[in-house]
Every structure is written in C-alpha cells, then in structure tokens.
Amino acid sequence: MPSVLVVEDDQFVRSALIRHLTEASHTVRSVGTALEALREVAHFRFDVVILDLGLPDLDGSEALKMLRGITDVPVIIATARDDESEIVRLLNDGADDYLTKPFSVEHLSARMAAVLRRSRAAGGEAPSPRVIQVGGLSIDPLRRQAELDGTDLDLTRREFDLLTFLAGRPGVVVPRKELLAEVWQQSYGDDQTIDVHLSWLRRKLGETAARPRYLHTLRGVGVKLQPPAAPRAPEQPA
C-alpha cells in the first residue's frame, strides 16, 4: 500500500488528513515541521509527500528545495496561496502538483492517484530511444536531454515531458484535456497548470505567447508545436 508523509503544523488539518488517508488504505506518517520532514525522508521511503507551506520553522518552499536535494519522492503542495508567480516558482523548484486550501478529500485523492500513476509509469516504462528533431529542437527521451540550436535546455521534469509529448506530434493541435491525461495523467484539472508550464517553456525557447516560434496556442482548441517557418528568399530583380 502507498506510504504517505504528511507535513502539516495545523493539528486539526493534520488529523483529518491522517484519518482520510488511513481509511483509504495508505500507510501514513506525519510531522509538523520542515526539519522533521527532512529527517523522515532521510530514514524512510515514501511514495508521496503532502507538504504544507506555512510551517513554523521553515517556509515550505525552502523545505521543498531541501527535499529535492535528497529525494525524488513526488511532492504535492498544500497551500492557501494562489498567487500565480508563487505557483510557478513551486513547480519550477520541483513540486509535482499543488492544491489550494480548502480542498476536499476527494480532490486530494484524485491528485494523489494521478501523481502515483505518473511515478510508477516513470519507474516502469522504458522511454523511446528515438531522438526527436523539430526544426532547431533536438530531444533525446532516453537521456532526457533537450537542445535548441545546439544549446542545452535546462528543463524541469514536467517541462521536458510536455515538450517531448508535443514534439512527438509536430504540427498537430493537442487538446488541453489530452495534455492533462497524457502528460499529467489526470482525467480533469486546472488549465492554469498547463499555462504555467507553457509560459516557462516559452521563456526557455526564447519566445512569448504573443510572438511564438515553436509553441502555438489556439484559443479554445489546444496547443501545437511546429518549427518556425523558413525565411523567404529575397526576390531577384527582374
């Protein structure tokens, strides 16, 4: 059964999470501080960590960075903060998902199930060895490396997965629902998750939503990746 570490200093919320997760047949350990959480992951193996941001000894975002220094365990952020820049920073620092408080236990269960599916798939499936080439983009799924015009791209895990999925279907408009299902392994979710990752990918590809080179969003339809159009040759004088 999945093992979960709950990092939450609010005793009422903590007790409710423990009760729900235990009833759902999870093995649960819980702590109330960031330092206790670091000690736990250093000594025990967990399948997922639920991390509150408002911890008494260390902000959860700093705790996340420290966790990422010692473990790849999936981390779901539980936060009352809904600022987009904060969410972007957390995802870029290694969070696998986030939930905005208050949330229902059903919502938490769905997010946990999706994170666990992704984690198991990543550990049990061999990626395609084929190098994907789209314009100046070169993506090696086996080595999880991506280059743009010969320069390495520093991508997070989710950014790489999203770019690889789109690059494997060049010129094809992929609906957001399909992106959630295939990249995030979720049957439903918030479009903001996709928008955040697209925004960061565009920055690293040297483009913007207003002036796209590779990533093109079709409002109300989906997203497609295609190489930039080749420059037109100058006309010869008659």
Side-chain angles (χ1 to χ4, degrees):
M1 59 183 66
S3 177
V4 184
L5 175 63
V6 174
V7 187
E8 170 65 64
D9 70 317
D10 186 309
Q11 191 59 50
F12 176 79
V13 175
R14 187 169 160 185
S15 298
L17 288 175
I18 293 171
R19 182 175 63 255
H20 164 67
L21 293 170
T22 301
E23 289 174 352
S25 299
H26 296 297
T27 300
V28 185
R29 292 179 67 91
S30 67
V31 294
T33 68
L35 293 181
E36 288 176 313
L38 292 169
R39 282 196 292 268
E40 286 288 309
V41 298
H43 290 91
F44 301 98
R45 192 189 76 81
F46 295 98
D47 295 300
V48 64
V49 173
I50 300 172
L51 177 64
D52 177 38
L53 293 184
L55 299 174
D57 59 335
L58 190 67
D59 187 80
S61 60
E62 294 301 315
L64 173 64
K65 294 178 183 178
M66 297 175 73
L67 283 170
R68 278 291 164 257
I70 59 176
T71 180
D72 288 329
V73 62
V75 176
I76 298 176
I77 299 293
T79 175
R81 309 172 194 175
D82 58 1
D83 179 69
E84 181 177 337
S85 62
E86 176 81 352
I87 292 169
V88 167
R89 184 165 62 85
L90 291 166
L91 292 170
N92 209 41
D93 285 344
D96 292 84
D97 206 344
Y98 67 91
L99 281 170
T100 303
K101 295 178 179 178
F103 51 81
S104 67
V105 292
E106 291 79 15
H107 195 173
L108 173 61
S109 293
R111 293 297 183 96
M112 281 185 57
V115 165
L116 289 170
R117 283 197 303 271
R118 293 198 299 268
S119 178
R120 289 163 182 160
E125 296 179 2
S128 169
R130 182 174 64 90
V131 175
I132 302 171
Q133 194 78 39
V134 182
L137 272 174
S138 178
I139 303 170
D140 187 338
L142 184 61
R143 294 179 175 83
R144 293 189 68 83
Q145 295 175 345
E147 295 180 353
L148 176 60
D149 299 327
T151 301
D152 288 340
L153 293 172
D154 183 16
L155 304 178
T156 66
R157 180 175 60 182
R158 194 71 67 236
E159 289 167 353
F160 182 89
D161 292 343
L162 177 58
L163 183 65
T164 301
F165 184 80
L166 291 171
R169 299 152 183 76
V172 176
V173 179
V174 181
R176 288 170 176 266
K177 185 176 181 180
E178 184 176 346
L179 288 177
L180 282 170
E182 297 297 332
V183 179
W184 278 267
Q185 299 293 309
Q186 295 178 198
S187 58
Y188 67 93
D190 191 344
D191 280 358
Q192 188 180 38
T193 299
I194 298 175
D195 291 336
V196 164
H197 285 83
L198 285 174
S199 175
W200 278 92
L201 264 180
R202 286 191 173 104
R203 293 188 188 185
K204 294 177 180 181
L205 295 176
E207 61 182 68
T208 65
R211 297 177 64 86
R213 294 181 65 229
Y214 285 91
L215 297 172
H216 301 261
T217 299
L218 282 72
R219 188 179 297 275
V221 182
V223 183
K224 69 175 178 178
L225 184 147
Q226 66 182 27
R232 297 178 59 182
E235 296 183 3
Q236 297 294 324

